[in-house]
Amino acid sequence: NWGDVFEATRLIITLGVIRPLLTILRDLGWVSIAACILCFGFALRQPSLAVLSCATLILIAAIGYWDKLLITFNLVMIGTLLSLFV
């Protein structure tokens, strides 16, 4: 009885939240995201963490796993926001 409701909810979340957010992250590019992580680490007064995080992102982009990282990050971020909402 609830199949239609669950399917509609899945479509709304997929088409209205997950795909647009993934498009935004892809449009930003790895350089700007790595720079934001670097600046965020320095803002927290953790320069070693900032450099290590930025270097890790650059390494992930260099070996070709950037798209898979964005998909994983997107799903984790959406799941975290949904759990905070609940």
Side-chain angles (χ1 to χ4, degrees):
N1 293 338
W2 288 89
D4 293 337
V5 174
F6 288 136
E7 183 65 22
T9 304
R10 182 188 68 82
L11 281 174
I12 289 170
I13 291 173
T14 301
L15 297 177
V17 179
I18 293 176
R19 283 195 182 167
L21 186 59
L22 185 60
T23 303
I24 291 169
L25 289 173
R26 283 184 178 151
D27 289 344
L28 285 175
W30 66 270
V31 175
S32 60
I33 293 175
C36 287
I37 294 293
L38 186 69
C39 292
F40 186 67
F42 279 117
L44 292 174
R45 300 190 192 280
Q46 298 290 329
S48 60
L49 179 64
V51 171
L52 182 64
S53 299
C54 185
T56 303
L57 286 177
I58 291 170
L59 180 66
I60 289 171
I63 62 174
Y65 282 103
W66 184 251
D67 199 43
K68 292 179 186 349
L69 172 82
L70 288 180
I71 291 169
T72 303
F73 177 71
N74 190 19
L75 291 174
V76 168
M77 190 167 52
I78 297 297
T80 302
L81 291 175
L82 283 175
S83 66
L84 287 174
F85 179 72
V86 170

